[in-house]
Amino acid sequence: QNACRVPGSQWPAFVRKVYTDTITLPVACADWRVEWSLCCRNGGITNIANASGDNLYLEAGINNVAKWNNSTPRFYIAPIPYLCISQPSFFLNGPLDPDNDSIVTTNVQPQTAYMTFCNYAGGYSLANPIGSTSTPAYDVNPNTGTASFTPGTIGKFVLAFECADYDRTSGVRLSYVRR
């Protein structure tokens, strides 16, 4: 009985949208970018300053010079809407690459547009975007994409991740996706 199904419900929720398409790029280019944005973020977000003035922004990039038939990595695990305060938590991303390239997942600063980053509210940062009380405060395993932390505050938080894939032979970055 969350807010997506029952307007006014005390239980928050999120809406998941999936966009899938096959794109044929007209020429080889090392920095193709596909982006999507939507106005505006929830004004009740705890870790982003003035969140209601920021767009939700997602991005993917492709280098079809290095490999013409590459697919971007994907996050196969949906975001967890609820975590318990003062309890060690694991935020699973489930990154996979359909082409079996090497992948690396990192913590990134949320964006509101291309090369425009959300400002963290006081006490929050890229190093600790959720006010974690654990040591280390906030860690993202680059191989599994799992973020580990201990939430120290009740609230709504924005976490952002980038998963990039690399050619196993040359080490060249082939593509990336951010959420």
Short mmCIF file of all heavy atoms in Angstrom, two decimals, residues 6 33 48 57 64 69-70 76 88 121 152 154:
data_model
loop_
_atom_site.label_atom_id
_atom_site.label_comp_id
_atom_site.label_asym_id
_atom_site.label_seq_id
_atom_site.Cartn_x
_atom_site.Cartn_y
_atom_site.Cartn_z
N VAL A 6 -1.49 4.00 -3.61
CA VAL A 6 -2.51 4.66 -2.80
C VAL A 6 -2.05 6.10 -2.52
O VAL A 6 -1.19 6.32 -1.66
CB VAL A 6 -2.73 3.91 -1.46
CG1 VAL A 6 -3.79 4.62 -0.62
CG2 VAL A 6 -3.11 2.46 -1.70
N ARG A 33 26.85 10.03 -26.52
CA ARG A 33 26.19 10.16 -25.22
C ARG A 33 24.68 10.12 -25.43
O ARG A 33 24.14 10.82 -26.27
CB ARG A 33 26.61 11.47 -24.54
CG ARG A 33 26.11 11.60 -23.14
CD ARG A 33 26.57 12.90 -22.46
NE ARG A 33 25.98 14.08 -23.08
CZ ARG A 33 26.62 14.96 -23.86
NH1 ARG A 33 27.89 14.79 -24.11
NH2 ARG A 33 26.00 15.97 -24.39
N ILE A 48 20.60 16.17 -0.72
CA ILE A 48 20.81 17.10 -1.84
C ILE A 48 20.24 18.46 -1.45
O ILE A 48 19.08 18.55 -1.05
CB ILE A 48 20.14 16.59 -3.13
CG1 ILE A 48 20.67 15.21 -3.53
CG2 ILE A 48 20.28 17.59 -4.26
CD1 ILE A 48 22.12 15.17 -3.94
N TYR A 57 18.50 13.07 -13.74
CA TYR A 57 19.28 12.97 -14.97
C TYR A 57 20.00 11.63 -15.02
O TYR A 57 20.65 11.23 -14.05
CB TYR A 57 20.30 14.11 -15.04
CG TYR A 57 21.23 14.06 -16.22
CD1 TYR A 57 20.83 14.55 -17.46
CD2 TYR A 57 22.49 13.50 -16.11
CE1 TYR A 57 21.69 14.50 -18.55
CE2 TYR A 57 23.36 13.44 -17.20
CZ TYR A 57 22.95 13.95 -18.41
OH TYR A 57 23.79 13.89 -19.50
N ASN A 64 32.16 3.72 -30.09
CA ASN A 64 32.08 2.72 -31.16
C ASN A 64 33.28 2.80 -32.12
O ASN A 64 33.28 2.15 -33.16
CB ASN A 64 30.75 2.78 -31.91
CG ASN A 64 30.56 4.04 -32.73
OD1 ASN A 64 31.17 5.07 -32.47
ND2 ASN A 64 29.69 3.96 -33.71
N ASN A 69 30.32 -3.01 -32.17
CA ASN A 69 29.10 -3.74 -31.79
C ASN A 69 29.00 -3.96 -30.28
O ASN A 69 28.62 -5.02 -29.81
CB ASN A 69 29.05 -5.08 -32.52
CG ASN A 69 30.21 -5.98 -32.15
OD1 ASN A 69 31.20 -5.54 -31.58
ND2 ASN A 69 30.08 -7.26 -32.47
N ASN A 70 29.29 -2.94 -29.51
CA ASN A 70 29.28 -3.05 -28.05
C ASN A 70 27.92 -2.70 -27.47
O ASN A 70 27.21 -1.85 -28.00
CB ASN A 70 30.34 -2.11 -27.46
CG ASN A 70 30.53 -2.34 -25.99
OD1 ASN A 70 30.82 -3.44 -25.55
ND2 ASN A 70 30.34 -1.29 -25.21
N TYR A 76 21.13 -4.81 -13.01
CA TYR A 76 20.03 -5.76 -13.03
C TYR A 76 19.24 -5.83 -11.72
O TYR A 76 18.23 -6.50 -11.66
CB TYR A 76 20.53 -7.17 -13.40
CG TYR A 76 20.70 -7.30 -14.88
CD1 TYR A 76 21.93 -7.12 -15.48
CD2 TYR A 76 19.61 -7.57 -15.70
CE1 TYR A 76 22.08 -7.23 -16.85
CE2 TYR A 76 19.75 -7.68 -17.07
CZ TYR A 76 20.99 -7.51 -17.64
OH TYR A 76 21.13 -7.59 -19.00
N PRO A 88 23.98 -2.11 9.58
CA PRO A 88 24.83 -2.26 8.39
C PRO A 88 23.96 -2.63 7.18
O PRO A 88 23.10 -3.50 7.27
CB PRO A 88 25.78 -3.39 8.76
CG PRO A 88 25.83 -3.36 10.26
CD PRO A 88 24.43 -2.95 10.68
N ALA A 121 23.85 18.54 0.46
CA ALA A 121 23.46 19.31 1.64
C ALA A 121 24.58 19.20 2.67
O ALA A 121 25.41 18.28 2.60
CB ALA A 121 22.14 18.77 2.20
N GLY A 152 22.89 6.64 9.21
CA GLY A 152 22.87 7.28 10.52
C GLY A 152 21.71 8.23 10.70
O GLY A 152 21.52 8.80 11.78
N ILE A 154 17.44 9.19 9.40
CA ILE A 154 16.21 8.85 8.68
C ILE A 154 16.00 9.91 7.61
O ILE A 154 16.18 11.10 7.87
CB ILE A 154 15.01 8.80 9.63
CG1 ILE A 154 15.17 7.64 10.62
CG2 ILE A 154 13.69 8.68 8.86
CD1 ILE A 154 14.11 7.59 11.69
#
